[in-house]
Amino acid sequence: MESFTYISPIGLLQFDCSEGYINQIHFVEHETNTDHFDPVLKEQIEEQFDDYFAGRLQQFQLPLRPHGTDFQQKVWKQLKQIDYGTQTSYSELAISLGDKNLVRAVGGANSKNPLPIVIPCHRVVGANNKLVGYAGGLWRKKWLLRHEMEFRSIPGRLF
């Protein structure tokens, strides 16, 4: 496993990668940069995250290999379908997966998302559009949602 730390407007993001794929992204306090991080992948990450934070990129095109159960993978795939600058609720996500009773399971899978921002779990809000749960802290979730609302092409409501 190789690691690279990207300095973002919302703090340090550590990318853990293996075999040319990003496996995890963590919010960290200190930089960790291993000696043999793939320079091509590093350049892709830097370019796409620079563009995302500048409001020029709405969907990432990075090689991803998140590890999780089949159900988690299904939820994470559904998260990638949430449009930039919009929000959905846990119950709406459960319904889109075919069972409104999966709300808690969806919440659990969402909280285990190993690739925040790239797999946009920050776009999921609680009932009545309430900001709830984000591994990076609610202030980051709020920042990301506001950032995307500022740069989205279609006006909308923010939580």
Side-chain angles (χ1 to χ4, degrees):
M1 185 81 61
E2 297 293 327
S3 296
F4 158 69
T5 306
Y6 175 84
I7 301 169
S8 83
I10 56 173
L12 300 175
L13 297 172
Q14 178 180 311
F15 291 79
D16 293 338
C17 304
S18 63
E19 301 173 358
Y21 292 93
I22 303 169
N23 304 109
Q24 292 187 323
I25 302 170
H26 310 276
F27 294 101
V28 296
E29 297 296 320
H30 306 284
E31 288 188 52
T32 302
N33 296 297
T34 55
D35 293 333
H36 303 291
F37 197 92
D38 180 342
V40 173
L41 182 55
K42 180 180 177 183
E43 184 177 331
Q44 287 178 323
I45 291 168
E46 289 176 328
E47 284 180 6
Q48 290 189 37
F49 271 78
D50 286 351
D51 285 348
Y52 173 79
F53 285 114
R56 295 185 299 264
L57 181 112
Q58 296 186 357
Q59 187 169 9
F60 292 91
Q61 299 295 323
L62 294 166
L64 309 175
R65 190 179 286 159
H67 299 289
T69 66
D70 288 344
F71 180 75
Q72 289 169 335
Q73 297 282 350
K74 188 185 291 189
V75 171
W76 301 336
K77 183 177 181 183
Q78 196 66 27
L79 290 173
K80 291 178 76 174
Q81 304 306 311
I82 304 169
D83 289 335
Y84 178 91
T86 64
Q87 296 92 52
T88 192
S89 69
Y90 292 100
S91 59
E92 290 170 328
L93 199 53
I95 291 167
S96 72
L97 290 166
D99 187 346
K100 67 179 181 175
N101 296 317
L102 291 175
V103 173
R104 288 187 188 274
V106 164
N110 198 48
S111 72
K112 300 269 194 273
N113 174 16
L115 299 167
I117 304 174
V118 176
I119 297 178
C121 57
H122 61 276
R123 296 178 189 156
V124 182
V125 296
N128 300 320
N129 291 319
K130 187 173 181 179
L131 283 184
V132 294
Y134 191 64
L138 287 180
W139 75 269
R140 283 189 177 106
K141 182 173 188 162
K142 187 175 185 177
W143 191 99
L144 290 165
L145 291 171
R146 286 186 187 276
H147 170 73
E148 291 184 3
M149 286 296 294
E150 181 180 345
F151 289 102
R152 72 179 278 193
S153 57
I154 302 167
R157 189 182 78 223
L158 180 62
F159 49 90

